[in-house]
Amino acid sequence: FYFLIYHGLKYMKTQFSDVVIIGAGLSGIGAAVHLQKHCPEKSVVILEARAAMGGTWDLFRYPGIRSDSDMYTLGYNFKPWTNPKSIADGQSIREYIQETAQEYGIDKKIRYQHKVLDANWSSRTARWTLRVQQGDDVIAMQCQFIICCAGYYKYENGFTPDFAGREKFKGQIIHPQLWPENLDYRGKRVVIIGSGATAVTLVPAMTDKAAHVTMLQRSPTYVANLPEKDPLPHTLRKVLPESYVYNITRTRNVLMSMGFYNLTQAYPQAMKGFLLNQVKKQVGESVDMKHFTPRYNPWDERLCAVPDGDLFKRLREGKASVVTDHIERFTETGIRLTSGKELQADIIITATGL
């Protein structure tokens, strides 16, 4: 009897929407706009686990946070990217997402602090039933379609390897995904573990105040110098409407990206030589090229963008350095490497993955 009452009440409280979008980030807002344009008869709700829209671009707040994909291809095809920066900072991208949601009324479809716990499909009713945590309560929602725009990673915690001796280190250990507000790194020795997009972004950004920043990597990554601001749209805006400028720039960038990737696959050694030569011109004789010479071919792994060569400038100035080695263990004052060298640090940043 109580079982029937409980499940009856639960069923009465079940909410229905034709489409549920999970996540109010760049993809979730974009999906909602496309549905609104092409399927206006469908009811749509966006469930966002956090208290704000923007996804990655709201969650990550570490210094210099930016996209290393140009915004003419990463942005929406229905809303021109008008910011002068092609390689844009996190705040600009977040504002672009918020502006899009408000412009198309998508912000009214978002339910914040609604975390989807699981989703179960019924062939009998042709519906999904979702359990959704809302504060201390768990509610049921039903829909015909789910679009999962929840990102690629577990956003609660970043990936950090189990470093021996971690508990002995007397300084701060920070993962970029959980960046503390108002971190004071002025005059501090900073070691950033990693060689991906996050590390390549943090190194030049933190040299503004840190005594010295060291990027510690197990193996090098391909990096490419790109202009932060694209001169083409600036020129085209003088004679063409914004929509034309956006579509021309977007098409060009897509074709260039595809062409460059195809060249790396067809002529890997030639493209490897081209990329390394570009880096060598940037760093000069001050940096050993072993730190920028990967063991793999271009685009076997992701290639990192360096807007306006900011990383290379800091290396030339001596404000930053790169060390290629393996970690033996953390010590009280830094990191001991397998080569026997010890890196002194006040702050260690584990840019080791999301």
Side-chain angles (χ1 to χ4, degrees):
F1 175 76
Y2 288 111
F3 177 86
L4 291 174
I5 290 178
Y6 170 77
H7 283 272
L9 287 171
K10 188 175 181 181
Y11 176 78
M12 290 295 291
K13 290 181 180 180
T14 300
Q15 304 169 39
F16 176 81
S17 181
D18 291 313
V19 184
V20 168
I21 298 173
I22 304 174
L26 186 72
S27 298
I29 300 302
V33 174
H34 282 295
L35 280 167
Q36 187 168 274
K37 283 174 171 287
H38 300 290
C39 306
E41 74 284 356
K42 298 292 184 183
S43 56
V44 178
V45 65
I46 302 175
L47 303 181
E48 169 56 52
R50 301 176 67 248
M53 78 171 77
T56 295
W57 306 110
D58 181 73
L59 173 65
F60 294 104
R61 298 299 182 101
Y62 59 80
I65 172 67
R66 67 193 179 203
S67 168
D68 63 349
S69 297
D70 79 275
M71 287 305 297
Y72 290 94
T73 51
L74 187 63
Y76 303 122
N77 66 352
F78 54 82
K79 182 173 175 58
W81 173 261
T82 58
N83 189 304
K85 293 181 180 179
S86 175
I87 305 296
D89 59 276
Q91 180 177 337
S92 296
I93 300 172
R94 184 169 65 253
E95 290 171 354
Y96 173 70
I97 296 169
Q98 292 169 344
E99 185 180 298
T100 302
Q102 291 167 6
E103 182 178 328
Y104 288 90
I106 302 303
D107 53 338
K108 298 178 178 62
K109 301 178 186 292
I110 304 172
R111 299 185 188 179
Y112 294 108
Q113 295 180 318
H114 280 59
K115 182 178 181 179
V116 177
L117 301 176
D118 55 47
N120 296 282
W121 172 256
S122 168
S123 296
R124 182 179 60 81
T125 61
R127 286 185 177 185
W128 289 96
T129 299
L130 295 82
R131 286 195 312 127
V132 182
Q133 186 170 352
Q134 180 186 12
D136 295 329
D137 299 325
V138 175
I139 62 173
M141 295 187 68
Q142 290 191 335
C143 63
Q144 290 181 307
F145 300 93
I146 295 174
I147 302 179
C148 187
C149 300
Y152 303 109
Y153 311 102
K154 285 187 176 181
Y155 285 92
E156 290 87 351
N157 296 292
F159 172 73
T160 304
D162 184 17
F163 294 113
R166 177 187 174 115
E167 70 285 352
K168 294 183 178 180
F169 180 61
K170 292 186 176 180
Q172 286 180 280
I173 301 175
I174 300 166
H175 194 286
Q177 194 164 319
L178 302 172
W179 197 267
E181 190 175 357
N182 300 321
L183 173 70
D184 182 14
Y185 56 91
R186 189 182 303 275
K188 301 291 181 66
R189 297 165 298 177
V190 179
V191 174
I192 300 171
I193 303 172
S195 60
T198 302
V200 168
T201 297
L202 276 167
V203 172
M206 295 189 72
T207 55
D208 63 338
K209 299 176 184 176
H212 189 81
V213 181
T214 302
M215 184 170 81
L216 172 59
Q217 58 182 11
R218 288 184 302 178
S219 60
T221 298
Y222 284 106
V223 291
N225 183 27
L226 295 175
E228 184 179 54
K229 297 180 180 179
D230 190 339
L232 177 65
H234 176 71
T235 303
L236 292 178
R237 285 189 182 104
K238 297 176 182 179
V239 294
L240 293 174
E242 190 62 52
S243 59
Y244 282 64
V245 173
Y246 185 65
N247 288 330
I248 290 171
T249 308
R250 183 182 178 91
T251 301
R252 182 207 61 174
N253 289 4
V254 169
L255 292 175
M256 285 181 62
S257 297
M258 292 171 62
F260 183 79
Y261 173 78
N262 288 330
L263 283 173
T264 63
Q265 302 307 294
Y267 308 102
Q269 291 306 309
M271 296 306 294
K272 179 176 183 177
F274 169 77
L275 288 169
L276 296 184
N277 188 50
Q278 295 300 307
V279 173
K280 190 171 184 178
K281 288 180 180 178
Q282 289 285 326
V283 299
E285 301 299 323
S286 59
V287 179
D288 193 327
M289 279 301 294
K290 73 176 184 180
H291 301 305
F292 292 98
T293 307
R295 296 190 294 262
Y296 55 89
N297 289 327
W299 270 120
D300 283 357
E301 295 183 18
R302 185 173 174 82
L303 186 148
C304 290
V306 179
D308 291 341
D310 57 3
L311 171 66
F312 306 131
K313 290 176 185 176
R314 301 300 174 263
L315 293 174
R316 291 198 307 268
E317 293 166 353
K319 295 181 179 179
S321 56
V322 182
V323 174
T324 304
D325 208 329
H326 285 69
I327 295 172
E328 180 183 301
R329 63 187 300 105
F330 283 21
T331 66
E332 291 186 358
T333 57
I335 300 174
R336 182 177 299 145
L337 307 174
T338 55
S339 63
K341 182 179 179 180
E342 184 162 339
L343 296 178
Q344 299 295 310
D346 302 300
I347 300 174
I348 296 174
I349 299 171
T350 54
T352 47
L354 306 180

